[in-house]
Amino acid sequence: MKKLQFPKKFLWGAATSSHQVEGGTKNQWSKWEKENAARLASEAKTKWQPWQQEKFPEMFEAENYISGSACDHYNRFQQDFDLAKELGHSAHRFSIEWSRIEPEEGKFDEKEIEHYRQVLIALRERGITPFVTLWHWTNPLWLEEKGGCESRDFAKHFAKYAEFVASKLGNEVEFWITLNEPTSVIASAYLSGAWPPAKRSYLASWKLYATFAKAHVAAYQSIHALDENAQVGFANILHSFAAYSEKSWLDKIMVKTGRHVANKRMLNLTEGFNDFLTVQYYFHNRFKFPKKLRLADKPENDLGWEIFPEGIYHILKRLKVHKLPIYVTENGLADAGDEKRMDFIKEHLAWIHRSMEEGADVRGYFYWSLLDNFEWDKGFWPRFGLVEVDFKTQERKIRPSALEYAKICKNNELELE
Ligand code: FCB
């Protein structure tokens, strides 16, 4: 038996986002879901493998694709944070829903600020440190009418909203995350067209890097103007890349390009405006020119995403040069049967620990997600939760892997066989 010790103040927890758990949100996603649910249900037949179709027949029902009341976390956050506490979490990442705070342009809703104040107090009462995300992909409808993320004033609007929230809730928050995964939005909403507004434009995609960087920097500055001690960063999805053959310069060029576009560009554009870095790790890409290669014998999750724990080690090692603290703000898998989750967490943590031994300044780990929730264009069938949710009754059930993760959180130590 090997025991890996983590540093004393290491933060342990899980993450969620408003649209995926709260229920009752009104934003560009909830609008798009209603317009596209029937289409998504009928496309499931061609999109997913036979084993997935058999295991998750919900994917053929239109209601699967409508977030609706989600986990009703808006009303049940106290009970959900009791679970997080029971599971030994010392930190929790959640997002504030912009469309609730600013339902009309320039009109801020104090009642909703009060709601999130209660959320923050509930965490503090349980000794849980909040990480607050200001934008986890959802735009208020008034902003969508102005072009959403492509609106010329997106950064200005976002910074104003961020400033308002920080001015009201800053006393309760040390860690702010401005934007969640800008590059996922660029890729899936503006390049592949899978997410609203379902565009396929290289030009729009390229321009959005600058827009998101501007929005982050503006929010970073407004939050710091209010509180110079605030810790501000953005949540960056970082992919693992490998060349199929180290001898092929074409495979290697693909790796370099992938790394630049997916991992580095947003970091470069926001250089100097991050108090900490983040890692959200889900994907390993193996390139055999001119394609991404899938190897049949690799372990995968319910969504068919390859499980490659070593990838996080290489990602963390590459971030060392920035000399900033790092938080793993998302890492997780869809695993309805809870068969692979425990090993997944342990193996990723072992690789994270190794990167720390080699100098990566990692200070926290947030599993995605605390609860089963609404997985965007895939709907409810992918089950990422430490806690299982019955979406009909809203009953919560702690999964066995969550209890194993709880031991790690409580002991600050990972035991390996
Ligand atoms: C991340 C998102 C998060 C969730 C997980 C599975 O890219 O930030 O909302 O959907 O993937």
Side-chain angles (χ1 to χ4, degrees):
M1 181 87 73
K2 201 164 128 197
K3 289 186 179 180
L4 302 178
Q5 200 68 50
F6 283 78
K8 252 213 182 96
K9 288 195 177 147
F10 197 85
L11 294 174
W12 295 103
T16 63
S17 90
S18 55
H19 186 68
Q20 295 175 274
V21 297
E22 282 184 353
T25 51
K26 292 190 193 76
N27 51 44
Q28 96 278 27
W29 267 92
S30 57
K31 181 166 179 277
W32 181 86
E33 286 153 27
K34 287 181 203 129
E35 292 161 1
N36 289 274
R39 173 181 64 80
L40 293 167
S42 73
E43 285 172 5
K45 194 99 213 121
T46 48
K47 194 160 172 199
W48 302 103
Q49 300 290 319
W51 66 269
Q52 291 164 313
Q53 297 184 19
E54 200 175 305
K55 199 164 164 193
F56 303 104
E58 314 92 283
M59 65 170 65
F60 299 109
E61 288 161 25
E63 69 175 343
N64 171 69
Y65 300 93
I66 294 181
S67 54
S69 42
C71 312
D72 193 29
H73 179 71
Y74 187 81
N75 298 306
R76 294 170 197 253
F77 64 89
Q78 298 271 1
Q79 163 198 343
D80 291 336
F81 295 161
D82 282 344
L83 294 172
K85 185 173 179 198
E86 187 182 331
L87 293 172
H89 296 188
S90 54
H92 180 71
R93 174 175 173 238
F94 71 96
S95 76
I96 290 184
E97 177 62 32
W98 185 357
S99 63
R100 290 191 195 276
I101 301 292
E102 194 180 359
E104 284 174 53
E105 184 179 352
K107 294 212 171 120
F108 295 96
D109 189 335
E110 293 282 347
K111 258 194 350 280
E112 295 293 349
I113 284 289
E114 196 43 40
H115 168 81
Y116 289 108
R117 192 191 313 284
Q118 292 310 317
V119 170
L120 289 163
I121 290 172
L123 289 169
R124 180 158 39 88
E125 283 171 352
R126 290 162 180 79
I128 299 176
T129 301
F131 273 56
V132 178
T133 309
L134 287 161
W135 184 81
H136 201 119
W137 301 350
T138 50
N139 292 332
L141 291 169
W142 60 263
L143 178 59
E144 209 51 25
E145 274 161 30
K146 290 175 181 273
C149 302
E150 285 180 289
S151 149
R152 212 187 317 139
D153 291 331
F154 178 82
K156 198 179 91 195
H157 291 304
F158 177 67
K160 232 168 134 190
Y161 149 73
E163 183 178 10
F164 179 76
V165 173
S167 73
K168 297 286 174 177
L169 300 177
N171 288 345
E172 307 284 345
V173 182
E174 180 184 356
F175 296 98
W176 296 98
I177 289 178
T178 56
L179 304 173
N180 182 68
E181 296 186 0
T183 53
S184 297
V185 174
I186 291 173
S188 297
Y190 292 89
L191 202 57
S192 79
W195 296 350
K199 284 216 169 170
R200 289 164 195 263
S201 156
Y202 282 109
L203 184 64
S205 307
W206 196 246
K207 280 188 180 164
L208 277 170
Y209 280 97
T211 304
F212 286 136
K214 197 167 154 199
H216 167 75
V217 170
Y220 177 96
Q221 287 170 327
S222 354
I223 298 170
H224 271 288
L226 291 162
D227 176 4
E228 58 185 27
N229 295 320
Q231 296 294 298
V232 187
F234 73 99
N236 207 8
I237 186 164
L238 295 176
H239 300 256
S240 156
F241 294 100
Y244 178 71
S245 160
E246 276 305 316
K247 288 194 193 114
S248 157
W249 60 270
L250 283 171
D251 293 2
K252 290 207 289 205
I253 286 180
M254 279 187 84
V255 167
K256 263 201 179 319
T257 313
R259 237 180 233 139
H260 178 77
V261 174
N263 292 1
K264 286 197 190 153
R265 191 162 164 74
M266 275 305 296
L267 274 182
N268 292 347
L269 291 171
T270 58
E271 181 91 57
F273 298 94
N274 290 299
D275 301 317
F276 58 88
L277 301 181
T278 62
V279 173
Q280 313 214 141
Y281 175 55
Y282 294 96
F283 297 107
H284 178 57
N285 306 277
R286 205 176 282 100
F287 288 137
K288 186 170 194 309
F289 184 83
K291 280 195 181 144
K292 204 157 120 178
L293 193 72
R294 288 283 323 217
L295 299 180
D297 57 337
K298 300 289 172 195
E300 57 185 27
N301 73 17
D302 287 345
L303 282 159
W305 301 354
E306 182 180 334
I307 299 174
F308 185 66
E310 186 185 327
I312 201 164
Y313 162 80
H314 298 291
I315 288 170
L316 288 165
K317 290 282 303 268
R318 284 177 175 274
L319 290 182
K320 257 174 60 179
V321 289
H322 296 276
K323 298 198 167 40
L324 285 170
I326 306 168
Y327 295 90
V328 177
T329 42
E330 281 186 33
N331 173 231
L333 84 170
D335 178 21
D338 204 37
E339 288 144 28
K340 299 178 181 166
R341 187 170 285 106
M342 192 56 252
D343 286 346
F344 177 99
I345 295 176
K346 285 190 174 170
E347 285 164 23
H348 281 81
L349 286 174
W351 282 107
I352 290 171
H353 192 274
R354 180 156 161 196
S355 79
M356 292 164 73
E357 283 172 344
E358 294 172 21
D361 184 9
V362 186
R363 303 208 182 162
Y365 177 82
F366 294 79
Y367 175 80
W368 180 272
S369 173
L370 179 63
L371 305 165
D372 284 343
N373 61 49
F374 181 74
E375 180 50 30
W376 307 108
D377 61 325
K378 319 214 171 34
F380 285 107
W381 66 264
R383 301 283 185 151
F384 278 89
L386 292 170
V387 175
E388 183 183 342
V389 176
D390 178 330
F391 294 108
K392 296 231 157 66
T393 63
Q394 292 298 349
E395 197 194 329
R396 274 61 169 155
K397 222 195 264 162
I398 291 176
R399 291 202 163 98
S401 59
L403 296 173
E404 285 295 310
Y405 177 50
K407 283 189 205 154
I408 302 172
C409 302
K410 288 176 189 168
N411 299 335
N412 211 24
E413 181 180 88
L414 169 66
E415 279 189 9
L416 293 173
E417 304 279 316

